[in-house]
Amino acid sequence: MDVLSDLLHRAHAGHALVRQLIQRPPWSLAFADAPPLTLVTTLGGHASLRVGDATPVRLAAGDLALISASAYTIADDPGTPPQLVIRGTKKYPVIDAQPVRNPASRTYGDGEPGATTMLRGAYELHGAAAERLLAMLPPLAVVPAGPRTRGALDLLAAEVACDEPGQDAVLRRLLDLVLVLALRGWCARMEPPPAWYRGLSDPGVGEALRLLHAEPAHRWTVAELAVRAGLSRAAFAARFARLVGEPPLTYLTGWRMTLAADLLRDTEDTIAAVARAVGYDDPFAFSVAFKRVRGASPSDWRRARAAPGS
């Protein structure tokens, strides 16, 4: 499994709330307490998107916006005051706001002429793997429209506007496709790109990253990874460190501790069992590595995450 696929899978980024937003000017929607990751795309017309006090960004038709902020506003114009505040699936009118009609269960607004049509998918991500995924994103990342996303967006728009059997499954899969395309597009535009993204462009280092994610508990050595990558040990170690930004076994340790953090939070497995699951036969060695990487011992980490409100 490649790095991005593994991050999305372990962050549980496969379940999203999908909504269609159809609004005629003037309009403005404020989103509060938003999930960790939101995908917004404009299918027809344009929109202005503002995160916090940052400068508004204009979205043209087909643009993809990745939002990793808890509060943001989407409007026809930056100067239009919010008419609705949306928390989760509930809408709260602002004083003097016009009533909103919902022609379909997943639609806010109406489809009269001159309206802007958008799609919004809100992802509830999970745990340390999600933190690793979100760390590569700014509060707002915009990927311009392009031919690779157009077909997927056309299918998603057609599906979200109807209400037929199996629709939830279709919507989730289509939105996952658009999310992956958006993340790919953003990583390609970043300067510099995420370290692992640079590594994937190299056949040998990319193969090593795939192996480390496919079998994180295996007792990998630099020599074995080099053989699997088709390189000498010295050449492989130097190339991996140059492209990824850290030595291969340091990268492996960080990834193992990410997996361990989620096991400690989500299971009742003993510390020894968690250690074995991520490649450590010695619980003490695992605890030392975990505290060095995560800043707390495994037992303290687990207690903190079990506390109310954590």
Side-chain angles (χ1 to χ4, degrees):
M1 183 177 290
D2 68 83
V3 180
L4 181 56
S5 298
D6 203 11
L7 283 173
L8 289 169
H9 171 70
R10 295 184 185 277
H12 295 208
H15 302 284
L17 178 69
V18 185
R19 289 291 183 264
Q20 183 174 222
L21 314 174
I22 307 175
Q23 302 291 329
R24 286 184 300 150
W27 59 271
S28 179
L29 305 175
F31 292 85
D33 301 327
L37 181 62
T38 302
L39 172 70
V40 173
T41 182
T42 309
L43 302 176
H46 68 274
S48 172
L49 204 160
R50 184 201 297 270
V51 174
D53 296 327
T55 302
V57 174
R58 188 179 188 275
L59 297 183
D63 290 350
L64 300 173
L66 294 166
I67 307 167
S68 56
S70 61
Y72 56 92
T73 301
I74 308 175
D76 67 313
D77 183 86
T80 303
Q83 301 161 344
L84 289 174
V85 176
I86 298 175
R87 299 178 184 271
T89 60
K90 295 184 178 180
K91 300 167 291 182
Y92 301 88
V94 179
I95 296 174
D96 296 329
Q98 296 298 314
V100 176
R101 291 184 290 133
N102 295 330
S105 59
R106 294 179 178 85
T107 298
Y108 294 155
D110 58 56
E112 295 183 13
T116 294
T117 302
M118 294 168 291
L119 288 177
R120 174 181 176 266
Y123 284 89
E124 290 286 356
L125 302 184
H126 176 84
E131 295 169 5
R132 200 172 174 116
L133 174 66
L134 293 172
M136 72 181 190
L137 293 172
L140 173 61
V142 177
V143 179
R148 297 194 68 183
T149 59
R150 188 172 300 121
L153 290 177
D154 288 344
L155 287 172
L156 187 55
E159 190 66 28
V160 78
C162 62
D163 195 0
E164 297 180 357
Q167 187 182 37
D168 286 338
V170 174
L171 284 174
R172 284 198 298 269
R173 284 159 177 77
L174 287 174
L175 192 71
D176 289 348
L177 171 60
V178 174
L179 175 63
V180 172
L181 294 174
L183 288 169
R184 276 184 189 169
W186 175 249
C187 290
R189 291 171 58 84
M190 284 182 67
E191 190 56 47
W196 56 262
Y197 189 83
R198 293 195 301 269
L200 291 177
S201 64
D202 181 272
V205 174
E207 173 63 11
L209 285 168
R210 187 192 67 78
L211 290 169
L212 295 177
H213 280 259
E215 300 179 70
H218 182 74
R219 294 186 177 219
W220 293 109
T221 64
V222 175
E224 183 180 4
L225 288 168
V227 169
R228 301 286 290 269
L231 297 167
S232 71
R233 186 185 185 282
F236 166 73
R239 187 178 298 183
F240 191 104
R242 176 171 56 83
L243 292 175
V244 179
E246 57 187 347
L249 297 189
T250 302
Y251 178 91
L252 174 60
T253 298
W255 180 236
R256 283 173 166 174
M257 297 308 109
T258 296
L259 302 180
D262 284 343
L263 287 172
L264 290 167
R265 193 185 83 164
D266 299 334
T267 74
E268 297 182 358
D269 293 348
T270 64
I271 303 297
V274 171
R276 288 192 298 272
V278 297
Y280 288 80
D281 289 335
D282 181 0
F284 178 76
F286 163 72
S287 296
V288 170
F290 189 91
K291 186 171 184 178
R292 184 177 69 249
V293 174
R294 307 298 299 190
S297 69
S299 55
D300 288 345
W301 176 273
R302 171 172 274 171
R303 278 194 296 269
R305 270 63 196 170
S310 63

